[in-house]
Amino acid sequence: MSIPADLKYTRSHEWVRAEADGTVTIGITEHAQELLGDLVFIELPAVGRVLAAAQEAAVVESVKAAADVYAPLAGTVVGANQAVVDAPETVNQDAYAGWLFRMRPAAAGDLDALLDATAYQEIVEAA
């Protein structure tokens, strides 16, 4: 299973990538998509929506289950990936390329509080 070292992670299986413009890109981890199975529907947050950390932001549904995707930190949604709405299976093909939404964090330092790859790996292995 792939857990890229350059990303941050949450206990609820979201990955977060810091972008050069100060925004963050968010998706679900490879582990999460493996647990869900074949994705058939994705609902993303509206651009402009203000989210609190750990607030439900999106929904991913598979043939087995539906799961909420949580905002990893507080901020404003600045982008949503329509391509994964149109073709949810792209997240199964590459969870780290099939991002879900982008946010502008309310506080840049919040990113530092997220898990690094090693800490996330320990959570996955303990499950």
Side-chain angles (χ1 to χ4, degrees):
M1 174 180 27
S2 174
I3 301 176
D6 62 329
L7 303 177
K8 293 287 196 167
Y9 299 89
T10 67
R11 293 183 180 279
S12 53
H13 307 290
E14 289 87 17
W15 59 262
V16 183
R17 181 178 59 232
E19 304 295 348
D21 65 359
T23 63
V24 294
T25 300
I26 297 132
I28 62 170
T29 64
E30 185 174 311
H31 177 71
Q33 70 81 23
E34 285 175 357
L35 291 175
L36 287 166
D38 294 334
L39 296 180
V40 295
F41 176 77
I42 297 176
E43 180 181 333
L44 300 177
V47 171
R49 183 174 170 198
V50 177
L51 296 167
Q55 181 178 356
E56 295 171 4
V59 176
V60 291
E61 291 184 20
S62 71
V63 293
K64 296 195 290 190
D68 291 321
V69 178
Y70 300 95
L73 35 80
T76 304
V77 177
V78 295
N81 187 358
Q82 186 62 41
V84 297
V85 172
D86 296 340
E89 66 276 6
T90 58
V91 175
N92 292 116
Q93 293 161 3
D94 185 345
Y96 300 107
W99 61 276
L100 301 181
F101 60 100
R102 290 195 169 113
M103 294 178 68
R104 180 161 308 284
D110 290 351
L111 193 60
D112 297 334
L114 299 177
L115 303 170
D116 64 16
T118 302
Y120 181 70
Q121 176 80 37
E122 291 171 2
I123 288 170
V124 169
E125 289 174 356

